[in-house]
């Protein structure tokens, strides 16, 4: 059985990726295959990478404050491509009051600073569309 494939992306103009790298390493250490796209990714680039890499999960980290625009844009672009079997999660500095609206727009979960990586790993394993791991 193949490992869960996770695309870790940094959308927008946020130039800080330490948290994304910590999460990427934790996911890798948990047996997942991780593709890290690097900084300054557009929603279009993230979706293109997700399609090319045939991922099961898109994990986006954002600190810039543009989460209400960028994260739902990725969901919308996936829908335009008729892709509905990719788990989409987000993390970073996202105010608690913004989380319900993001979930309504298709983000499965938001992980804020201080969330243990084990929590993220467990969520991914429990919510991937196929029982891959």
């Amino acid at each position: 059985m193949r490992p869960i494939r996770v695309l870790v992306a940094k959308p927008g103009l946020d130039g800080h990726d330490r948290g994304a790298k910590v999460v990427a390493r934790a996911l890798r250490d948990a047996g997942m295959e991780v593709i890290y796209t690097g900084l300054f990714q557009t929603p279009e680039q993230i979706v293109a990478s997700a399609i090319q890499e045939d991922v099961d999960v898109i994990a986006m980290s954002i600190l810039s404050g543009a989460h209400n625009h960028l994260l739902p844009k990725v969901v919308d672009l996936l829908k335009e491509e008729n892709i509905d079997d990719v788990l989409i999660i987000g993390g970073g500095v996202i105010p608690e009051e913004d989380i319900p609206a993001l979930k309504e727009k298709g983000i499965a979960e938001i992980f804020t600073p201080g969330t243990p990586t084990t929590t993220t790993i467990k969520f991914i394993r429990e919510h991937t569309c196929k029982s891959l791991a």
Side-chain angles (χ1 to χ4, degrees):
M1 201 171 329
R2 76 173 178 82
I4 297 171
R5 293 176 57 87
V6 183
L7 182 79
V8 176
K10 290 289 299 177
L13 300 177
D14 176 7
H16 301 279
D17 65 350
R18 183 174 181 200
K21 287 179 177 177
V22 167
V23 169
R25 177 166 285 156
L27 298 176
R28 182 203 64 195
D29 291 350
M32 297 180 198
E33 190 172 331
V34 178
I35 300 97
Y36 176 58
T37 61
L39 295 168
F40 311 121
Q41 298 293 298
T42 66
E44 291 81 5
Q45 289 170 315
I46 293 168
V47 169
S49 295
I51 292 169
Q52 180 179 354
E53 296 290 345
D54 190 28
V55 299
D56 305 299
V57 181
I58 297 174
M60 294 178 282
S61 171
I62 190 161
L63 306 173
S64 68
H67 51 274
N68 287 327
H69 171 70
L70 294 172
L71 301 186
K73 179 71 174 170
V74 169
V75 174
D76 293 342
L77 290 169
L78 286 169
K79 285 179 185 173
E80 287 176 17
E81 296 290 334
N82 294 316
I83 297 171
D84 61 1
D85 61 347
V86 174
L87 180 70
I88 305 167
I89 60 174
V93 180
I94 298 173
E96 290 290 329
E97 60 267 16
D98 291 348
I99 293 173
L102 289 168
K103 287 183 175 183
E104 285 177 19
K105 292 178 181 174
I107 309 301
E109 189 60 85
I110 298 292
F111 301 95
T112 54
T115 301
T117 54
T118 52
T119 301
T120 307
I121 292 163
K122 182 179 180 196
F123 185 88
I124 289 171
R125 285 186 173 147
E126 290 176 353
H127 292 87
T128 47
C129 291
K130 302 169 215 140
S131 182
L132 301 171

